[in-house]
Every structure is written in C-alpha cells, then in structure tokens.
C-alpha cells in the first residue's frame, strides 16, 4: 500500500484523459507525421511505390490501451497505397490497403535538451512486437487478373504470324482493328479459366484465323478457329506466375487447335500449325502478378513498421521547475493496467529500492496528485522542530497571555478515515504538556485529537483555486477560549501544508503567482499545461483527502487545442498593434 | 454543603451551581477545604482522588469546583472564588481585566459589556455618539500566532519564491492558497492602522467585537472596551452545572473533554 512508492509525489491520470490528450496531440503533423512516403520497394521484381496515411477520425479512430506496467499499446488505422506501374494487370497497378496495427510504446524517461522527460519510446520495437489486427484490401489474384494481364500483354505482341506461307492471326476482341480479316472467330475474345490437373493450370482459349496454302493448286485453306492451351500456374507468398511459354507434358492438356472450316486436310493443317501456335504463345512470356499472401503481407508490414518506428520516441511529460538551476526530478511512469490509470512518480526519495508502481488512488477523479507519507512526515517533523526547537531538549516552554506550559511531547500522524472514531481522514495529534498554574502544582496534561484539512474550491476569472485550512476536530468555532490551544496546534499543520505546496512547485510544476497579492497563494500545475506544443491541459485540484499513506488531491482535467485566442493575447498584453 | 451560585466569579453564567456531588452520593470520604492552607495541606489526597479517576480529572477543565465536589471535596465560597479566578486568567490578564473593568465602570457609570452586541451598539452610537461605519468587506488585522523568530525559521525552510516571467500567459493550473492559522479574536492587532471607512447609512443594532475593532481609534474608551472584550473572551471557560452534567454524561460535545486524554498530578514533590 503506497501512494507514491519510493518517490515523494505521484500524479495519476485516468485512461480516458490520456486518450483525450493523445488524440489532440496526435493531430500535430509535425511531431506525428500522418503522411509517410513515398517509400520505394522491390516486390517480386516489380518496383513498388508506397504511400502511408495514418488515420484518426470518427470512422477510423486511433486508440490506445495499457498493455502492461510499462507499455502503452497504440492502435493505428492507416491506409497504405501501393503503386506498381508495371503490374501485368493494370487494375493492380494501384492498390489501397486498410490496416489496423497495434504497436507498443515503452513508457520511459530520458534527458532531452537538459531536461528530464517522461515519454514514449519505440526504440525497442521489433517486428515481433507489432500486431496486425486487421488487413483489408489485399487483392486476391484470380482468373480475371490473369485475363486482364493477357489482354494487356496482347497489345504488346505481334498478332500476325507468318511461317512457310502459313499465316496465323491471333485475335482478342477488337483490340486490333487493323487485322484482316476482322475478328469473326468464336470466342470473340481471349478467355481463361483456372483448372487443376494435378497442379494448377490456366486454361486459355484464344480466337484465331489461319490462311494455309494447299498443294496442287487447291485454294488456300482459310478458317477461323481457336487455340486452347494450358499453362502452369506458380504461386509463392509474394507472387503468382503463369508460365506462358511452358507447354505441359501431360498429353491431355497439351495445346489444341480447333478450326471451324471443314476440310479433308484440316487435321493435317492443325498438326502443322500447332507448333507455330505454341511458339507464338511463348511470346507472352511469364506473366507475374505481385500477390502477397495474407501472412506474407502481414510479415512485410510488421518489418516495415518496426523499422520505421524503432528510431522514434516522443517526450510527453516534462515537469517544469520554476528555478532552472534546480530542475524537477526525473519523472517515472507506471501503468496500472486493470485500473486504467497512468501514474507518474516525481522526485525519487529512495534509490536503494527498485522503482515500483504505486497504488491506484485516482478513484472516480480524472486526475489526482498524491504526496507520500514519508514526505509528509519529513515536513511534519521539520515544522515541529522549527516551531518547538526545545521539544526534545527538556521540553519547549510556551508562554502565552493565558498561561504558560512546557510542551514535552508532540506528534502529528497521518490517519485513515474511520480511525479514532473520525469518519474523514485526518492528522492525529498527540502530545503531553506540563501546565503551569498559579498556587498549584503543575499537572501533566496529555492530549490527542484530530486535525482536518478543509479544502475549499475557488474560481476567480475562470482560474480554479483551492484554499486549504487546518481545522481542529471537536472544537466549536465559537469556543474562543480554546484559541490559545488552537494557535499552538493549527500553525503546525498550516506550515506543513505550506511546505508541501512549495515542494509541489519545485517537483511537480508550478510557480508563484505574482499578480496575487496574497503571499500564501501558489499555482500548481499537476501536469504540464502544454503537451507537445499542441494540447493545452488545465488541471484543477478540487479537494484534499488525508489517509495514513499521505495526501491525495483529486481534480479534473480539461483539454483543448492550443491556440492564440483573442483572450489569451489580451491577457498577455500582446494584442496586435496598428 | 452550601449553595455557592452567588459566589461565582461570573454571576451571569452561574458556572458553579450546586456543588453537591453530580453523581449523587459521593464515593469519596468528605473532605472540606475552608482555607488556602488546607488546600495545600490536602494536595496529595486531592491528587490521589483525581489521579485514580481520570474521567473526573478531565472534568476539572469543565468546572473545577464541580469536579472537586464530585471528588467529595467541599470548598468554601472563598476558596471557590480563588480557584475559579486563578484558572480563568493568568495573573497579568487578571490584573488588566480588573483595571479595565474599574476604569470603564468609573467612566461610563455602569458595568461594561463588550461581549453584548446590543449594549455595545448603544454605547457607541447613543452614549459616545460615534458615526456608524460601513465595515462590510473589511476584516480586522491579526497578529500571527507564531513569533517572528519562528516564522523566520519556517520561512527559511521554504523553497525560494520566484516570480513568473513578465508577459507569460497565465498558468493553467490550480491556485493553491494555504492559511497557516485561523484568525481569532485573541490575536486582534490593536496597533494596526485602520482603513478609512465610509459612514454607514444605518445604525447597526448590534456590534460584535469584530465590528468594534474598526472603532478602536475613534475614542479612548472604545479601545479599552475592545481590550476588555478580548480578555473576557480569552477567559478559561467555566461551565454551568447543567452544562457540566451534560458534558460529563456525554450528552454534549466539548473540545477539552474529547482532546484531553488525561490530567495527572504528581503525588510526589516535583524538583
């Protein structure tokens, strides 16, 4: 049970507020680039240009969760556009993937520009740490893609082949209108289907026309027809290839030519033309489509993302000390996963033990600031020592108009609600004094009782405030007779609180407000008021709870995008001059 | 036993009431104290009785005469007066109170009642014919409960205060103010300069010590009246018999009853 572990102070923020800050800060394009690329990669022999757009909007929101004590798991949706100018299938020359990726960021501290900062580092991210939650838009290569590639390739190869007086015309729809005779073949365009014959083959049916001279002054044999052939399909994790020049050995799927015009020599003509056709089809070469399998695509993304992120880290929390010569202590962060709380420990008190996570003291508040019991005890002991320096040296003689006494013992202890018959947390004061009475031997009086710290919120011109006042329990406010006793006890607690507030300025962040004439007023910023130069965070402390573990000041957070409003500049006397 | 109501130092409050044992029959052997010397002579027995009854000892702070009675100790009126006067004020304050009461009685021809707001109003505006002042929004000045040396030591422990840079936008944090002590009447700063106040349009029917403070420099008698009022308020409270019984039975809260754990007298002579 510890509010601040081995540190003096701790700020806790709920995950909802962390998310709010994240979304606002994430809008900073400078710090968090949303558009990455172009990135050039070679994929299956194809030059691929990649553009990445990270999203965070209503339909595709980025998110975060607390993964473990030291890692925040970020979930980023992004669009990845890959341009492949030389894709065999023109429809695959630009593909857009929608991806959601989880990336863990390490909550750690480092020094930046001479200041200790707490931030998120991705330095140790590896591909294994990256999780592809979803991957959409990965093209599934099917027969249509091959057909489109063949149509596309048709435009680049000759369509009329002459060999030994034989003429062969290869049609594909009306793609070549200069062909004579025009395409009247069946099918009218090249068709394809994927078939399995032990292994996968692409079956292609292409329309043709043949003009073959015949001997003996017979008229030329002229006929439309089609060539039917099967070509092996090779699939890898990265591509799918059809080897167009590879005639199968299986006789059942060897290339076949069909000619429409009946003729006694048709069989011989087909036999003679088939080698020419096989050779012609070889002109298509290998048709390779970059085609990442789902697992290959995920692995590739993981590697690319890890490679991109491993050089990045982002400072998040840098408490500012009012005195540059005394920088605020190194902030150390912990994540309380089940509670959904980010804890930031400040001012290490005991380096002999390993830093460890504090308790969840946030409760239902948006933010809470705790002062550890060791720090409170230190300030308590100091306040007692300064006010009663002779206490441990024979007793502190106290002289008042009401009477005199010698204070022999005094202690002030943090106490939980419910103890000492007090519903609220309190400081339990115990002491013993020898009271000096005229004409009467001095009795020894031992006393004990609760001191509460009343916290009252204030609001001046929109500036939230908190007023702290110690109050002795069980004392009627009208019992002015007891004021002499209260004047001994209350200032102890008052100065304890004053010292703690001053310490908060040094170690948590804050400053003396010079415009406030009341010298007891200080400003505390439990979290830095400006995060990453974009999010302005106003933290209002709204109460003070006492327990045996220390003091907790719960509060609220309001977050807005940093801007130079008219009111801001007016307050700074920095309005534009004519 | 005698009724001692009229012997009380503060007749208006009748703090003593009957000094018969409040618990009915006293569990103690009767012990009668009729002179100072017998009070001193019986100290050890008195101490023994209170030391053996811690709850009864704590009632000494509520009303010592009635606590004595509960311990079977009967005091003569003279001794009662002595006990009550001794415990109410330190010798210096007792003397000052007596001086002020006498002086004011002589000057104004009646007993001054500074803690009676209606009486104070009449005194200021009818008797002294002072102009009513508009004190709304003003608070008396107080001296700190800690002396300058202690404050200096405490201040030295605090981190150095640094004013914020000029022109810097207001800090988006929380302004925290700490009151190290509570203002109380006993620490009215009678030497502080008063603000210049406007005349009030109406005469207040009641004037408390907090308002009387702003008239302290208006007339010498007002200053004395204020000082007397403060001393009266600083007197150790002597509860009436009824109040004593309620506190003793736990039916009425009292700070001393709950804060004081024990009062013990040394039965051996102290060095």
């Amino acid at each position: 049970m510890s509010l601040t572990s081995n540190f003096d102070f701790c700020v806790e923020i709920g995950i909802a507020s962390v998310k709010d800050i994240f979304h606002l800060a994430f809008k900073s394009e400078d710090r968090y680039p949303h558009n990455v690329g172009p990135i050039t990669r070679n994929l299956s022999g194809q030059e691929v240009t990649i553009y990445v757009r990270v999203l965070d909007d209503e339909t595709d929101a980025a998110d975060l969760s607390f993964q473990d004590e030291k890692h925040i798991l970020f979930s980023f949706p992004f669009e990845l556009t890959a341009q492949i100018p030389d894709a065999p299938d023109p429809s695959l020359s630009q593909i857009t993937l929608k991806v959601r990726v989880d990336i863990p960021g390490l909550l750690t501290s480092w020094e930046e520009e001479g200041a200790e900062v707490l931030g998120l580092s991705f330095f140790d991210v590896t591909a294994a740490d990256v999780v592809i939650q979803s991957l959409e838009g990965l093209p599934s290569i099917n027969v249509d893609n091959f057909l489109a590639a063949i149509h596309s390739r048709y435009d680049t190869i000759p369509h009329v082949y002459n060999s030994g007086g034989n003429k062969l015309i290869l049609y594909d729809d009306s793609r070549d209108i200069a062909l004579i005779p025009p395409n009247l073949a069946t099918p009218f365009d090249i068709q394809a289907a994927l078939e399995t014959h032990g292994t996968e083959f692409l079956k292609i049916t292409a329309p043709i026309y043949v003009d073959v001279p015949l001997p003996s002054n017979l008229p030329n044999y002229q006929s439309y027809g089609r060539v039917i052939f099967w070509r092996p399909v090779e699939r890898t994790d990265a591509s799918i290839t059809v080897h167009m020049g590879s005639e199968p050995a299986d006789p059942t799927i060897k290339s076949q030519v069909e000619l429409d015009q009946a003729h006694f020599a048709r069989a011989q003509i087909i036999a003679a033309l088939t080698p020419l056709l096989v050779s012609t089809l070889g002109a298509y070469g290998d048709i390779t489509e970059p085609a990442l399998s789902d697992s290959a695509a995920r692995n590739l993304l993981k590697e690319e993302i890890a490679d991109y992120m491993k050089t990045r880290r982002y400072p998040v929390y840098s408490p500012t000390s009012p005195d540059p010569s005394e920088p605020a202590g190194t902030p150390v962060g912990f994540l309380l996963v089940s509670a959904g709380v980010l804890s930031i420990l400040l001012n290490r008190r005991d380096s002999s033990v390993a830093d460890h996570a504090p308790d969840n003291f946030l409760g239902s508040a948006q933010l809470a600031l705790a002062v550890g019991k060791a720090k409170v005890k230190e300030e308590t002991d100091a306040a007692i020592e300064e006010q009663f320096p002779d206490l441990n040296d024979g007793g502190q003689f106290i002289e008042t108009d009401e009477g005199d006494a010698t204070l022999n013992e005094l202690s002030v202890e943090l106490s939980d609600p419910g103890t000492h018959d007090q519903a609220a947390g309190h400081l339990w004061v115990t002491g013993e004094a020898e009271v000096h009475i005229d004409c009467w031997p001095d009795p020894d009086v031992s006393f004990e009782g609760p001191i509460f710290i009343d916290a009252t919120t204030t609001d001046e011109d929109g500036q939230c405030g908190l007023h702290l006042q110690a109050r002795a329990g069980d004392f009627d406010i009208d019992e002015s007779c007891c004021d002499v006793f209260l004047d001994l006890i209350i200032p102890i607690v008052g100065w304890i609180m004053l010292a703690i507030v001053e310490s908060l300025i040094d170690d948590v962040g804050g400053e003396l407000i010079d415009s406030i004439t009341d010298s007891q007023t200080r400003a505390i910023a439990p979290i830095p008021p400006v995060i990453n130069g974009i999010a302005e965070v106003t933290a209002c402390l709204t109460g003070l709870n006492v327990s045996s573990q220390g003091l907790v000041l719960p509060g609220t957070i309001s977050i807005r995008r940093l801007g130079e409003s008219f009111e801001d500049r007016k307050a700074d006397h920095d309005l534009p001059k004519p | 036993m005698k009724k001692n109501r009229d012997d009380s130092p503060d007749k208006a409050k009748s703090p003593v009431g009957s000094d018969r044992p409040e618990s009915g029959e006293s569990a103690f052997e009767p012990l009668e104290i009729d002179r100072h010397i017998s009070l001193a002579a019986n100290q050890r027995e008195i101490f023994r009785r209170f030391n053996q009854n811690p709850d009864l000892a704590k009632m000494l702070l509520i009303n010592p005469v009635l606590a004595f009675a509960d311990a079977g100790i009967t005091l003569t009126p003279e001794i009662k007066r002595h006990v009550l006067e001794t415990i109410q004020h330190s010798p210096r304050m007792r003397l000052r109170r007596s001086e002020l009461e006498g002086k004011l009685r002589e000057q104004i021809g009646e007993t001054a009642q500074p803690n009676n707001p209606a009486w104070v109003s009449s005194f200021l505006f009818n008797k002294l014919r002072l102009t009513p002042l508009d004190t709304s929004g003003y608070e008396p000045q107080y001296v700190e409960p800690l002396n300058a040396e202690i404050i200096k030591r405490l201040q030295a422990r605090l981190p150095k205060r640094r004013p914020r840079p000029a022109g810097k936008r207001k800090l988006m944090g929380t302004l925290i103010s700490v009151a190290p002590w509570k203002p109380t009447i006993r620490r009215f700063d009678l030497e502080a300069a008063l603000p210049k106040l406007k005349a009030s349009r109406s005469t207040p029917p009641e004037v408390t010590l907090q308002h009387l403070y702003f008239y302290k420099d208006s007339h010498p008698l007002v200053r004395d009246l204020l000082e007397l009022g403060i001393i009266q308020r600083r007197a150790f409270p002597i509860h009436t018999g009824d109040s004593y019984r309620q506190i003793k039975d736990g039916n009425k809260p009292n700070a001393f009853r709950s804060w004081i754990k024990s009062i013990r007298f040394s039965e051996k002579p102290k060095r």
Side-chain angles (χ1 to χ4, degrees):
Chain A
M1 180 76 185
S2 174
L3 297 177
T4 59
S5 304
N6 53 321
F7 286 69
D8 279 338
F9 308 105
C10 181
V11 177
E12 290 194 342
I13 304 168
I15 191 169
S17 297
V18 174
K19 287 184 177 186
D20 287 345
I21 295 169
F22 161 68
H23 287 302
L24 203 50
F26 190 57
K27 294 189 187 308
S28 170
E29 175 74 30
D30 291 343
R31 192 171 276 267
Y32 305 106
H34 293 186
N35 295 284
V36 180
I39 304 165
T40 304
R41 295 286 184 272
N42 190 292
L43 199 60
S44 302
Q46 298 282 352
E47 195 81 358
V48 180
T49 305
I50 299 167
Y51 298 87
V52 180
R53 188 162 71 94
V54 187
L55 307 174
D56 184 19
D57 53 37
E58 284 188 1
T59 51
D60 290 295
D63 199 3
L64 61 81
S65 59
F66 295 162
Q67 187 178 38
D68 57 38
E69 213 170 56
K70 285 288 182 184
H71 287 91
I72 293 180
L73 191 62
F74 291 93
S75 176
F76 292 116
F78 58 84
E79 282 181 358
L80 186 151
T81 300
Q83 293 179 346
I84 315 167
D86 297 329
D89 175 1
S91 71
L92 297 178
S93 61
Q94 176 166 312
I95 59 172
T96 298
L97 306 180
K98 288 192 72 172
V99 189
R100 181 171 282 277
V101 178
D102 289 351
I103 311 166
L106 176 66
L107 189 65
T108 187
S109 308
W110 66 89
E111 189 174 305
E112 193 161 288
E113 296 176 356
E116 296 285 350
V117 301
L118 173 68
L120 289 161
S121 169
F122 296 91
F123 280 17
D124 61 348
V125 167
T126 65
D129 298 321
V130 179
V131 175
I132 309 296
Q133 286 292 355
S134 64
L135 174 60
E136 297 172 21
L138 195 63
S140 173
I141 303 299
N142 57 31
V143 67
D144 293 334
N145 300 109
F146 287 114
L147 197 50
I150 291 169
H151 291 320
S152 179
R153 189 67 62 87
Y154 176 84
D155 295 336
T156 65
I157 63 171
H159 306 145
V160 179
Y161 299 89
N162 293 290
S163 176
N166 298 323
K167 180 180 180 182
L168 170 66
I169 298 176
L170 185 64
Y171 297 106
D172 185 7
D173 203 321
S174 300
R175 283 184 169 77
D176 186 352
I177 58 172
L179 293 174
I180 298 173
N183 183 10
L184 292 175
T186 302
F188 190 62
D189 56 358
I190 295 174
Q191 297 180 346
L194 283 167
E195 293 182 352
T196 301
H197 298 277
T199 56
E200 192 176 24
F201 286 85
L202 184 69
K203 177 189 177 185
I204 302 162
T205 304
I208 58 172
Y209 175 84
V210 297
D211 185 347
V212 179
L214 296 176
S216 307
N217 294 322
L218 289 171
N220 282 6
Y221 176 82
Q222 296 173 325
S223 177
Y224 290 99
R226 65 211 61 83
V227 57
I228 303 160
F229 57 100
W230 289 258
R231 292 295 179 261
V233 175
E234 183 187 5
R235 291 178 184 266
T236 69
D237 264 355
S239 64
I240 301 178
T241 300
V242 179
H243 299 286
M244 294 293 281
S246 180
E247 177 75 356
D250 183 349
T252 63
I253 55 172
K254 281 187 172 295
S255 299
Q256 300 170 11
V257 175
E258 295 177 356
L259 297 174
D260 297 336
Q261 194 64 44
H263 194 279
F264 69 88
R266 183 165 60 179
Q268 289 86 349
I269 292 169
I270 289 171
L273 282 175
T274 297
L276 175 60
L277 275 165
V278 170
S279 167
T280 300
L281 294 172
Y284 277 88
D286 286 346
I287 297 176
T288 299
E289 298 283 8
L292 289 171
S293 68
D294 186 82
S295 62
R298 286 171 186 262
N299 287 336
L300 185 61
L301 283 168
K302 286 179 176 185
E303 286 168 10
E304 290 287 345
I305 290 167
D307 197 48
Y308 176 78
M309 295 301 293
K310 70 184 181 186
T311 58
R312 294 166 198 280
R313 63 183 182 186
Y314 303 99
V316 174
Y317 189 104
S318 178
T320 52
S321 165
D323 186 345
S325 67
E326 294 179 18
T330 304
V332 173
F334 282 96
L335 299 161
L336 312 183
V337 177
S338 60
V341 170
L342 165 63
S343 296
I344 301 165
L345 295 161
L346 296 149
N347 203 32
R348 188 181 281 104
R349 184 175 193 84
D350 182 1
S351 57
S352 69
V353 296
D355 296 345
H356 53 283
D359 288 338
N360 168 26
F361 55 82
L362 184 64
S364 59
Q366 294 175 316
L367 162 143
L369 167 63
V371 184
K373 62 179 179 182
K375 178 66 176 173
V376 175
K377 178 167 172 46
E378 176 189 317
E379 298 299 343
T380 301
D381 292 346
I384 291 174
E385 167 66 23
E386 298 297 348
Q387 291 187 46
F388 307 113
D390 296 332
L391 190 62
N392 297 318
D393 188 20
Q396 179 72 42
F397 183 70
I398 297 168
E399 186 176 17
T400 72
D401 288 341
E402 285 85 349
D404 304 332
T406 300
L407 185 65
N408 293 315
E409 292 177 20
L410 182 67
S411 72
V412 179
E413 299 290 340
L414 290 163
S415 299
D416 286 321
T419 58
H420 306 120
D421 294 329
Q422 305 298 323
H426 53 278
L427 296 163
W428 186 247
V429 178
T430 58
E432 188 174 303
E434 185 179 322
V435 179
H436 308 306
I437 300 174
D438 277 357
C439 316
W440 194 253
D442 299 337
D444 293 323
V445 177
S446 61
F447 57 89
E448 60 184 19
I451 300 277
F452 301 100
I453 301 171
D454 294 334
T456 312
T457 56
T458 60
D459 185 344
E460 289 181 36
D461 299 330
Q463 174 73 64
C464 58
L466 191 68
H467 181 71
L468 304 178
Q469 168 79 69
R471 171 178 56 85
D474 299 320
F475 272 86
D476 185 334
I477 196 166
D478 292 327
E479 286 183 292
S480 59
C481 59
C482 308
D483 287 346
V484 64
F485 181 68
L486 297 182
D487 278 350
L488 291 173
I489 300 300
I490 295 298
I492 296 171
V493 179
W495 279 89
I496 292 168
M497 294 310 300
L498 207 53
I500 287 171
V501 169
E502 293 281 5
S503 300
L504 289 173
I505 291 175
D506 265 4
D507 296 319
V508 177
E511 55 199 297
L512 174 68
I513 299 298
D514 59 352
S515 60
I516 306 295
T517 54
D518 179 359
S519 64
Q520 310 303 348
T521 300
R522 308 288 187 274
I524 300 298
I527 60 175
V530 175
I531 293 184
N532 286 343
I534 190 162
E536 189 173 72
V537 181
T538 303
C540 285
L541 300 173
T542 54
L544 188 145
N545 302 320
V546 180
S547 75
S548 61
Q549 296 305 305
L551 308 175
V552 174
L553 293 100
T556 60
I557 291 181
S558 62
I559 303 157
R560 68 168 187 160
R561 192 164 189 175
L562 189 64
E564 288 284 342
S565 69
F566 176 84
E567 289 73 17
D568 292 335
R569 301 193 72 168
K570 188 178 179 184
D572 291 348
H573 307 290
D574 191 27
L575 286 173
K577 305 291 186 299
Chain B
M1 292 192 187
K2 296 179 181 178
K3 301 280 185 184
N4 289 292
R5 189 177 298 273
D6 293 340
D7 296 331
S8 161
D10 191 340
K11 292 178 183 176
K13 290 186 177 177
S14 299
V16 177
S18 168
D19 61 357
R20 283 177 299 183
E22 295 298 335
S23 55
E25 271 314 300
S26 172
F28 302 96
E29 288 293 318
L31 177 62
E32 189 161 329
I33 305 294
D34 55 0
R35 286 175 295 174
H36 286 76
I37 194 167
S38 59
L39 189 62
N42 288 287
Q43 267 183 5
R44 291 189 69 177
E45 174 57 19
I46 294 170
F47 293 168
R48 189 187 63 79
R49 292 185 182 193
F50 284 117
N51 287 347
Q52 289 180 352
N53 295 274
D55 283 344
L56 190 55
K58 287 196 279 184
M59 294 306 290
L60 286 167
L61 298 171
I62 308 301
N63 186 319
V65 171
L66 296 180
F68 268 64
D70 275 348
I73 304 162
T74 306
L75 306 179
T76 62
E78 181 193 357
I79 299 300
K80 285 179 188 172
R81 185 190 306 275
H82 170 71
V83 169
L84 293 173
E85 285 184 350
T86 300
I87 201 167
Q88 266 204 312
H89 288 300
S90 65
R92 196 182 67 77
M93 284 184 71
R94 190 159 54 243
L95 179 64
R96 182 61 180 157
R97 176 174 177 166
S98 177
E99 285 175 0
L100 290 168
E101 284 174 340
K103 180 180 176 183
L104 285 166
R105 189 182 298 110
E106 183 182 318
Q107 294 280 329
I108 62 179
E110 62 177 309
T111 301
Q113 301 175 49
N115 282 297
N116 179 345
W119 183 92
V120 174
S121 172
S122 175
F123 175 69
L124 293 183
F125 308 122
N126 297 332
K127 196 135 193 165
L128 300 181
R129 298 197 171 280
L130 297 179
T131 301
L133 300 173
D134 182 2
T135 63
S136 56
Y138 289 91
E139 289 291 330
Q141 294 288 303
Y142 298 90
V143 292
E144 291 214 30
L146 305 177
N147 65 42
E149 187 187 340
I150 295 174
I151 291 173
K152 191 177 174 184
R153 286 201 303 267
L154 286 163
Q155 287 283 10
R157 280 204 76 253
L158 298 179
K160 189 167 53 178
R161 297 170 182 171
R162 293 174 60 85
R164 60 205 291 261
K168 190 176 173 184
R169 182 183 299 166
K170 70 178 181 181
L171 190 75
M172 304 304 289
T174 303
L175 294 179
I176 294 192
S177 56
V178 178
W181 42 270
K182 290 185 79 167
T184 55
I185 287 171
R186 71 183 290 269
R187 283 184 282 100
F188 273 170
D189 186 353
L190 297 180
E191 307 307 321
L194 291 174
K196 289 186 178 178
L197 300 177
K198 294 178 182 174
S200 174
R201 290 181 179 176
S202 58
T203 301
E206 296 188 335
V207 176
T208 63
L209 290 185
Q210 277 85 353
H211 291 113
L212 182 62
Y213 178 85
F214 294 99
Y215 296 87
K216 70 183 177 67
D217 298 335
S218 301
H219 193 283
L221 288 179
V222 175
R223 165 78 176 236
D224 289 342
L225 185 69
L226 179 61
E227 188 181 350
L228 177 61
I230 295 169
I231 291 175
Q232 287 179 352
R233 292 283 287 268
R234 293 172 75 167
F236 193 89
I238 307 297
H239 286 258
T240 64
D242 177 52
S243 180
Y244 177 93
R245 280 188 292 278
Q246 289 189 54
I247 292 168
K248 184 180 164 189
D249 294 342
N251 296 326
K252 181 179 176 182
N254 178 268
F256 282 146
R257 181 87 164 125
S258 50
W259 268 78
I260 301 302
K261 190 178 173 187
S262 71
I263 297 176
R264 287 194 62 83
F265 297 92
S266 176
E267 296 177 41
K268 294 176 182 175
K270 288 193 176 180
R271 59 183 173 85

